[in-house]
Amino acid sequence: MGRVFGTDGVRGLANGDLTAELALELSVAAAHVLAERGEFAGHRPLAVVGRDTRISGEFLESAVVAGLLSAGVDVALLGVLPTPGVAHLTKTLGADLGVMISASHNPMPDNGIKFLARGGEKLDDAIEEAIEAHLHQEWERPTGAAVGRVRQHATAVDEYVAHLVRTTNKPLAGLRVVLDCAEGAASEAAPRALIGAGADVTAIHAQPDGLNINDNCGSTHLADLRAAVVKDGADVGFALDGDADRCLAVDAEGNVVDGDQILAILAGSLRDSGRLRADTVVATVMSNLGFVRAMRDAGVAVRQTKVGDRYVLEAMRAGGYNLGGEQSGHVIMSDHATTGDGILTALHLLERMATTGASIAELAGVMSRLPQVLVNVPGVDKTRTDDEVLGAAIAEAETELGDGGRVLLRASGTEPLVRVMVEALTEAHAREVADRLADVVRERLAL
């Protein structure tokens, strides 16, 4: 697999790249690294383990649990639960380690493993590098009573749903919602949470069978949600991904409300109530230029990071900020969660609608999106994006666009490809520049 950890844990083809053996070794290595850092000092260590609905999650869960138990770590099995639910229970149960088995929005054959530190926060790069360094090392195995024990934590969904509902302050009665659960980890928790807060909910793609997760549904396939919202006359629709750490929205006419618009709405809500810390929101370099301009006009500063919610989280912690997110729909509200939470996002968008009496379309109108074109270029060497000829082509494009647009070229952290993103005053101009740069990428970075 090359470097084991990507931008969001370990991810790959289940039983191909990500095997039971690797899952076991990773959990053992994670236990050893945390033990060496003194995380287990003075008490018997506890880990919580959750997963999404993929069939491969069953054997990977068994492997992770076996590794942890063999390293002397007790395990509480959470079952099928969203990533933010695992993070929440890592914190509330006082666990030393959280493990989520999911490949998020990836197709069903893939799977992944995410580790969470005590408190429910994602591991930083240094700890992940230490875990990689510990893979396959010889170690002294505990025996007898020193090995770990496993138990089922049967109330995981109940506890997570109750937490979500407690974050809202205004009843959502009268709001009609269509909720696409992506046949994933939130298929039970998400409808229960929105109904518990008072909304009238129609759930679609909420009958997971282990094979249908993200299959033409969820946050990467919005056609069914858009059609359902219009057909049902709903006020709004929300689409989650496989592990429910992201959320996109659809207005009453079926128009998409993306992560930038969602972040702008929530920033306005927190600012108006005096709860937006330092009047600052954290976003990534992929955020639309229209979002940055709208926040500036509203008196809200924007801190931009590398792509990946882990980097958004790092910047939020470093600056003491309480709102951040990505265009993809990862939104982090650190007053209530330690990671992106799609259900939480949906609840607080609904609360903003209930408080203001405005539609999601009216709220999203706070920003105007510049046309943005993203071209994925597969089959190239993504380690050579510093190529001089490619750099010159990018500089020429940036001069051409001027203040009316921008160029962003980056290697994907989770897939074998290079992404070319261009914003311009017109979609046609953005497309022409993006296609031109994609051709240079193919020529210069060919394998």
Side-chain angles (χ1 to χ4, degrees), residues 208-246:
D209 62 9
L211 303 174
N212 56 5
I213 186 171
N214 298 323
D215 187 9
N216 290 313
C217 59
S219 62
T220 54
H221 301 279
L222 296 172
D224 284 1
L225 178 63
R226 296 173 69 183
V229 168
V230 173
K231 179 182 177 182
D232 292 0
D235 297 299
V236 64
F238 297 111
L240 308 173
D241 64 340
D243 69 336
D245 64 353
R246 68 171 68 182

Side-chain angles (χ1 to χ4, degrees), residues 2 43 51 55 80 108 119 179 199 206 216 243 251 316 328 372 395 415 438:
H43 67 280
R51 60 181 177 88
I55 55 171
V80 173
M108 182 276 294
L179 182 62
N216 290 313
D243 69 336
D251 70 20
M316 290 174 66
S328 61
Q372 187 180 78
E415 299 174 78

Side-chain angles (χ1 to χ4, degrees), residues 191-208:
R192 283 181 55 184
L194 269 61
I195 292 169
D200 178 0
V201 178
T202 298
I204 64 174
H205 296 299
Q207 294 82 39

